[in-house]
Amino acid sequence: MENSGGFSFDLCKRNGWLVEKGIVKPPSFTKTGTTIVGLVFQDGVILGADTRATAGSIVCDKNCEKIHYMAPNIYCCGAGTAADTEAVTDMVSSQLQLHRYHTGRESRVITALTLLKKHLFGYQGYVSAALVLGGVDCTGPHLHTIYPHGSTDTLPFATMGSGSLAAMSVFESKYKEGLTRDEGIKIVTEAICAGIFNDLGSGSNVDVCVLTKGHKEYLRNNLMPNPRTYVSAKGYSFSKKTEVLMTKVTPLKERVEVIEAGDAMEE
Amino acid sequence: MDPKIDSSAPISTGTTIIGVTYNGGVVLGADSRTSTGVYVANRASDKITQLTDNVYVCRSGSAADSQVVSDYVRYFLHQHTIQLGQPATVKVAANLIRLLSYSNKKMLQTGMIVGGWDKYEGGKIYGVPLGGTIIEQPFAIGGSGSSYLYGFFDQAWKEGMTKEEAEQLVVKAVSLAIARDGASGGVVRTVTINSEGVTKNFYPGDQLPLWYEELEPQNSLLDIQTEAVPMSI
Amino acid sequence: MSIFEYNGSALVAMVGKNCFAIASDRRLGVQLQTIATDFQRIHKIHDRLFLGLSGLGTDTQTLYQRLVFRHKLYQLREERDMKPETFASLVSAILYEKRFGPYFCQPVIAGLSDEDKPFICTMDSIGAKELAKDFVVAGTAGESLYGACEAMFKPDMEPEELFETISQALLSSVDRDCLSGWGGHVYVV
């Protein structure tokens, strides 16, 4: 059973029974209620994302990373169930790495796209990952969107996630062909901010990734429009100490120092 | 329907797609709207997909399903062309689409119109609707917008049209459907295939004919608003 | 009711200066009825790595056994202990394997790297890693723990202060949660 690979459906029957008996409601997972965007500019592709991860109404990560690495020249923004976006991008990026070892050539965006859509289509939408895939390869810059059911689009500018409507409003009014790098970053940042401020599922900071021919620039926390303003300078002091009932000190095991013998092996 | 946008809803090409034969070839036409529920996920999509040099297909229904079917058929036809040493016929292409649609009919939500030209039978249109039937037709319409077009085509389609007449008919029909069908919109794309080869055309949304009660494009609707009248109860 | 609330639990881990602390409550209940008051939710994987498992008791124990088994195999093969980062990836992979029929537990992992750099991390029940620089929480008292930790935590605490902070955060949070309580275990490494 161990290490067989693929999903394991062992607990499905039990979990389904628990839900069916009305004992419980099905569990909810960490979602990246998200704003992710991408656009094509004159020398390449720019991707953008917010950094909020939520579980229901709780913000469980205020500064997570949603722009995933696929290949040195390809990155991918993920929205939907956090575990799915993470797993699917990791899986495909390792397939791309193996493919590069095999062929000795730079990965192509279309390869990543096909691998991603094949996986997502196979799971018929149950693996809920909505992706914006961007990269520059030997055939130029490419930007694609991939839906959880496995359909794909090829676009000059794209948005995804719960904040996609807010972000698209920025793109629709400001995008034009042949943007410069700085104009592109500005519009992407603005679009993410539209998501952060107008969509409750998105929030915190703006991550940006600029991909050009033979070069990438990952601008982590490119803009931090929501700094914490309520930190107490004094810190917190407790009037009464915690009542300790029992203390046990276990010293850490001493590390064995490996000392190289006086005469190292000579050739 | 709940107007909230459910981004996990399967995205579908609520569509208008058309295939028309004429004297010497075929014209395929489609709008460019792809929607998730009520949100337009892509306003400039290309639903007329290439299968071989001489065969194209119009896709409708679930975007994911129709993309996978056409990807497989393109792959099979590529192999077939190499083995045969000459271009595949439209009939073979349509039959492969039918084969996949029929044998996976429980999994797939897609209707397609195959059109192309080959040296044996000339221009041919095949409709492959939801269950996986195959129908050879002089003209075929599909997608949600097609319900507005049946009567129009019964009246307007004529045997032995010229290429220009056929293309104008397709553009007119798609623009009519765009005007009435909320799930169709954007631009009109056409692909014309005949013995000479393939011609692709693109008609921007603001240059389509205006139909009943449609307005000229405006910068602001305030410009055309008549004088304000106080509301009375 | 969510199945995560069946037995009740509170888990928290915090980072200090070259140290970390991980704490849990001691209660095991069946909904509102308390069954045991000395339940172990935190487990030692090795000297510098601790694993807390919140959620359904039966699943936490099963998962713990599988993880210990995998860690022992690793020790046999590699003749060394797992790095916290590696262990977190292992937990994540094991949880994601059951993507469509998950274990009902949310793990908290806390460890020290070879250079005494603290590492803490939590996941949802299907292995979506959440790496934090300050603190992580889990369990039925998670929401109140978030509040308490947000207010009480400050960076670079020494072990003594870290102990006091994490204990106070835990105790004040479980006071507002019916499903966890009966004191707590605190591990400072």
Side-chain angles (χ1 to χ4, degrees):
Chain A
M1 200 183 78
E2 296 274 342
N3 292 330
S4 56
F7 288 118
S8 146
F9 296 89
D10 296 353
L11 300 179
C12 289
K13 214 167 184 181
R14 182 202 66 172
N15 296 358
W17 176 84
L18 282 166
V19 173
E20 200 179 300
K21 283 251 300 189
I23 301 175
V24 294
K25 53 177 190 287
S28 67
F29 307 122
T30 305
K31 296 259 191 180
T32 47
T34 301
T35 309
I36 50 172
V37 306
L39 62 75
V40 177
F41 73 112
Q42 61 181 20
D43 332 297
V45 176
I46 306 177
L47 300 174
D50 71 311
T51 67
R52 173 179 286 183
T54 55
S57 60
I58 292 282
V59 176
C60 52
D61 197 341
K62 290 186 281 188
N63 201 182
C64 70
E65 284 186 51
K66 298 182 189 180
I67 308 183
H68 306 277
Y69 166 91
M70 301 294 291
N73 58 325
I74 308 168
Y75 277 74
C76 182
C77 309
T81 304
D84 287 331
T85 58
E86 192 72 48
V88 83
T89 50
D90 280 1
M91 224 145 38
V92 171
S93 83
S94 81
Q95 291 180 44
L96 289 174
Q97 177 70 260
L98 291 171
H99 189 260
R100 280 200 300 285
Y101 285 141
H102 193 77
T103 58
R105 288 186 165 88
E106 188 183 63
S107 294
R108 290 194 190 182
V109 185
I110 194 76
T111 318
L113 182 81
T114 312
L115 290 168
L116 286 166
K117 73 143 54 181
K118 196 167 81 176
H119 182 86
L120 294 176
F121 183 81
Y123 284 97
Q124 290 285 304
Y126 288 103
V127 170
S128 54
L131 310 166
V132 173
L133 177 73
V136 181
D137 58 26
C138 58
T139 59
H142 298 274
L143 183 69
H144 302 280
T145 55
I146 307 156
Y147 286 81
H149 290 261
S151 64
T152 56
D153 284 322
T154 308
L155 294 158
F157 57 91
T159 66
M160 277 270 195
S162 54
S164 61
L165 284 80
M168 185 50 86
S169 71
V170 173
F171 278 174
E172 284 282 11
S173 53
K174 305 216 165 138
Y175 181 84
K176 58 184 194 295
E177 259 175 50
L179 290 166
T180 64
R181 193 194 100 105
D182 292 346
E183 285 172 328
I185 294 177
K186 188 161 169 284
I187 293 176
V188 163
T189 311
E190 244 178 271
I192 297 298
C193 283
I196 287 175
F197 293 121
N198 300 104
D199 169 43
L200 299 184
S202 315
S204 297
N205 311 127
V206 183
D207 285 355
V208 171
C209 186
V210 185
L211 297 154
T212 46
K213 183 89 203 145
H215 187 71
K216 72 121 205 296
E217 203 177 343
Y218 194 119
L219 304 164
R220 171 75 170 149
N221 293 354
N222 182 242
L223 186 69
M224 303 179 83
N226 295 295
R228 190 167 164 169
T229 53
Y230 45 92
V231 188
S232 154
K234 295 192 296 290
Y236 211 90
S237 67
F238 306 103
S239 52
K240 188 166 160 265
K241 282 236 157 180
T242 314
E243 198 181 323
V244 180
L245 298 181
M246 194 186 71
T247 311
K248 194 177 151 205
V249 180
T250 320
L252 294 183
K253 256 188 249 134
E254 281 297 317
R255 285 272 166 80
V256 185
E257 285 282 319
V258 181
I259 306 158
E260 233 171 291
D263 296 318
M265 264 212 283
E266 309 240 339
E267 290 185 33
Chain B
M1 193 184 16
D2 186 0
K4 254 179 69 178
I5 281 83
D6 179 11
S7 59
S8 69
I11 76 155
S12 67
T13 47
T15 309
T16 306
I17 51 171
I18 295 172
V20 170
T21 55
Y22 69 89
N23 213 353
V26 297
V27 181
L28 299 173
D31 70 312
S32 71
R33 181 169 289 182
T34 305
S35 40
T36 32
V38 293
Y39 179 63
V40 178
N42 188 349
R43 61 184 169 89
S45 41
D46 191 358
K47 301 173 189 176
I48 313 179
T49 309
Q50 187 172 31
L51 293 178
T52 66
D53 289 345
N54 58 322
V55 185
Y56 281 67
V57 62
C58 302
R59 305 181 285 110
S60 76
S62 157
D65 294 353
S66 64
Q67 281 178 9
V68 165
V69 171
S70 48
D71 284 353
Y72 269 112
V73 171
R74 190 185 308 109
Y75 167 66
F76 290 146
L77 285 174
H78 190 85
Q79 286 186 321
H80 176 75
T81 310
I82 292 167
Q83 285 178 341
L84 210 64
Q86 62 175 34
T89 59
V90 190
K91 190 182 261 173
V92 164
N95 243 311
L96 280 170
I97 295 232
R98 193 224 87 228
L99 193 72
L100 289 181
S101 298
Y102 182 71
S103 49
N104 299 294
K105 64 155 97 185
K106 296 218 169 110
M107 309 287 292
L108 298 174
Q109 286 280 323
T110 178
M112 298 180 143
I113 294 172
V114 190
W117 186 92
D118 62 68
K119 64 180 176 189
Y120 299 105
E121 300 193 84
K124 278 275 186 250
I125 294 285
Y126 294 91
V128 186
L130 223 55
T133 1
I134 188 165
I135 317 156
E136 198 272 309
Q137 285 167 310
F139 66 86
I141 51 180
S144 56
S146 65
S147 36
Y148 305 94
L149 296 176
Y150 277 93
F152 172 70
F153 263 89
D154 290 342
Q155 183 265 323
W157 187 82
K158 300 276 189 318
E159 184 88 49
M161 287 187 293
T162 65
K163 188 177 121 191
E164 286 70 30
E165 281 173 335
E167 182 153 342
Q168 282 321 302
L169 174 70
V170 167
V171 176
K172 186 177 178 182
V174 178
S175 70
L176 277 166
I178 285 174
R180 284 287 176 184
D181 179 25
S184 306
V187 305
V188 177
R189 293 183 194 276
T190 62
V191 172
T192 308
I193 312 164
N194 51 35
S195 59
E196 250 119 72
V198 179
T199 323
K200 286 185 171 186
N201 271 320
F202 165 82
Y203 300 85
D206 54 359
Q207 284 168 35
L208 296 174
L210 293 175
W211 303 109
Y212 178 63
E213 281 198 323
E214 282 194 311
L215 300 175
E216 289 285 343
Q218 306 288 332
N219 282 321
S220 166
L221 288 181
L222 294 174
D223 297 347
I224 51 163
Q225 199 175 43
T226 47
E227 203 181 314
V229 183
M231 195 164 66
S232 58
I233 309 170
Chain C
M1 195 231 358
S2 158
I3 191 68
F4 288 98
E5 293 162 13
Y6 190 68
N7 297 126
S9 54
L11 262 178
V12 55
M14 274 185 190
V15 166
K17 194 173 187 182
N18 297 329
C19 61
F20 71 84
I22 179 167
S24 79
D25 71 323
R26 286 154 54 87
R27 179 183 181 273
L28 176 89
V30 167
Q31 305 204 44
L32 290 172
Q33 183 189 15
T34 304
I35 301 294
T37 61
D38 56 352
F39 191 65
Q40 272 293 343
R41 287 202 174 274
I42 299 179
H43 309 278
K44 189 166 95 174
I45 301 299
H46 59 76
D47 270 1
R48 298 156 157 262
L49 179 58
F50 286 76
L51 165 73
L53 291 163
S54 73
L56 190 67
T58 168
D59 280 1
T60 64
Q61 288 175 340
T62 312
L63 185 57
Y64 169 64
Q65 285 175 352
R66 282 190 66 187
L67 289 168
V68 166
F69 171 64
R70 293 292 292 267
H71 184 257
K72 282 184 173 160
L73 281 184
Y74 182 93
Q75 280 177 321
L76 282 169
R77 268 225 285 270
E78 305 268 329
E79 296 187 334
R80 62 190 169 116
D81 291 335
M82 249 190 211
K83 280 193 289 188
E85 290 85 349
T86 317
F87 187 71
S89 295
L90 172 69
V91 179
S92 170
I94 284 184
L95 286 173
Y96 193 71
E97 192 188 10
K98 300 220 183 295
R99 165 67 178 82
F100 298 108
Y103 288 119
F104 294 121
C105 47
Q106 191 188 350
V108 170
I109 295 155
L112 273 185
S113 72
D114 289 343
E115 299 80 41
D116 286 346
K117 213 171 86 58
F119 169 90
I120 54 164
C121 148
T122 182
M123 273 162 229
D124 66 0
S125 55
I126 51 171
K129 268 187 284 194
E130 181 207 328
L131 309 158
K133 281 199 281 289
D134 40 12
F135 56 84
V136 291
V137 305
T140 50
E143 293 193 20
S144 24
L145 276 165
Y146 267 123
C149 294
E150 283 281 7
M152 293 175 184
F153 181 84
K154 59 185 184 226
D156 292 330
M157 286 186 282
E158 295 296 334
E160 295 72 30
E161 196 183 5
L162 182 66
F163 167 76
E164 199 58 35
T165 309
I166 199 170
S167 311
Q168 295 277 357
L170 181 79
L171 291 176
S172 51
S173 300
V174 297
D175 280 354
R176 285 284 174 186
D177 180 26
C178 321
L179 298 173
S180 49
W182 289 95
H185 292 289
V186 180
Y187 297 79
V188 183
V189 182

